[in-house]
Amino acid sequence: DVKVTQSSRYLVKRTGEKVFLECVQDMDHENMFWYRQDPGLGLRLIYFSYDVKMKEKGDIPEGYSVSREKKERFSLILESASTNQTSMYLCASMTGSSGNTIYFGEGSWLTVV
Amino acid sequence: ELKVEQNPLFLSMQEGKNYTIYCNYSTTSDRLYWYRQDPGKSLESLFVLLSNGAVKQEGRLMASLDTKARLSTLHITAAVHDLSATYFCAVDRFAGGTSYGKLTFGQGTILTVHP
């Protein structure tokens, strides 16, 4: 059974804190993604990675960075959390070759106070 | 810049009725996805449409793709309460290489099915 696991489901952080959101997939997928979901806006792509140590900005990268040191793990980093980063964050992965199914994690609800 | 628009954004249906959700997008793409999301949950993949004229059906849901019109539809037949959820379409911005999966999502359609 395919799995994309986001280790933190619910987090409350203070403004200015550094926040790490971790995502692990067990399908040996090349491509991994971080999306942010806000009501009325759908999901928006923050960053994506198509290989270890490779990353590419998405539509809303400001205030975020990512790390992919191992193929199975893709981390989203908020260097200095702000209240406008309160949101639900979804990690996803897919094979980079001929696959067409994108698998999403359960989501991480982040509240910045 | 790719834009994806769904309509309606809110849909209240009676059980047993039929309805269609529309998904329009602004630039060419060869992949379109439909997802379902229950409150507080992640996205569940419903359909992946890969070519013009593609039609896929699962239970009471049928999705189609017209790449020339840049339009996809999600048709609901004889709605039941269990179909109540938010439905998203998403278009892949694939531009060659291995960069599938960079999706632009519609705003979502909140579907409520009443007895």
Side-chain angles (χ1 to χ4, degrees):
Chain A
D1 201 16
V2 300
K3 214 155 183 165
V4 179
T5 303
Q6 294 181 232
S7 52
S8 300
R9 293 296 316 279
Y10 302 95
L11 305 95
V12 179
K13 298 292 181 181
R14 294 195 181 278
T15 301
E17 275 193 79
K18 191 168 186 175
V19 181
F20 292 86
L21 299 180
E22 305 284 343
C23 175
V24 177
Q25 49 94 2
D26 63 0
M27 297 162 282
D28 201 36
H29 284 166
E30 291 82 5
N31 292 357
M32 296 188 74
F33 311 86
W34 276 104
Y35 288 89
R36 168 179 172 158
Q37 183 175 13
D38 299 288
L41 296 177
L43 283 78
R44 293 175 291 167
L45 180 64
I46 306 172
Y47 265 98
F48 118 91
S49 169
Y50 52 91
D51 202 351
V52 175
K53 297 192 187 293
M54 306 300 285
K55 61 187 178 188
E56 198 173 299
K57 291 180 181 178
D59 300 316
I60 51 166
E62 297 77 19
Y64 303 95
S65 62
V66 290
S67 172
R68 192 160 180 207
E69 297 296 321
K70 293 184 177 182
K71 191 175 185 182
E72 67 270 18
R73 187 180 297 270
F74 191 34
S75 302
L76 180 69
I77 303 156
L78 288 67
E79 294 289 343
S80 178
S82 63
T83 54
N84 63 14
Q85 292 178 309
T86 292
S87 188
M88 176 161 165
Y89 292 87
L90 285 156
C91 175
S93 75
M94 73 180 297
T95 181
S97 53
S98 60
N100 54 44
T101 301
I102 302 172
Y103 299 89
F104 281 85
E106 290 295 310
S108 297
W109 291 91
L110 172 65
T111 301
V112 182
V113 297
Chain B
E1 180 192 342
L2 174 60
K3 291 190 191 309
V4 181
E5 291 189 351
Q6 284 180 238
N7 72 84
L9 299 184
F10 300 92
L11 179 53
S12 181
M13 296 177 64
Q14 271 194 310
E15 281 190 328
K17 299 289 188 185
N18 305 333
Y19 210 84
T20 300
I21 300 170
Y22 296 88
C23 176
N24 291 273
Y25 55 99
S26 60
T27 62
T28 55
S29 173
D30 62 354
R31 286 188 178 188
L32 190 137
Y33 298 79
W34 283 98
Y35 290 95
R36 168 184 172 142
Q37 187 178 41
D38 292 300
K41 302 286 188 182
S42 187
L43 299 180
E44 174 189 351
S45 179
L46 294 175
F47 302 107
V48 183
L49 303 170
L50 299 177
S51 61
N52 186 42
V55 177
K56 290 197 174 179
Q57 181 161 8
E58 180 74 34
R60 300 174 189 275
L61 301 178
M62 183 172 72
S64 66
L65 178 62
D66 181 343
T67 57
K68 292 185 176 135
R70 298 177 190 162
L71 171 69
S72 180
T73 60
L74 180 67
H75 186 72
I76 302 154
T77 302
V80 292
H81 179 69
D82 285 353
L83 289 179
S84 296
T86 300
Y87 292 84
F88 290 96
C89 66
V91 177
D92 200 307
R93 286 175 269 175
F94 177 64
T98 59
S99 57
Y100 276 119
K102 294 195 293 186
L103 303 183
T104 298
F105 281 80
Q107 310 97 308
T109 297
I110 300 175
L111 171 65
T112 306
V113 181
H114 300 283

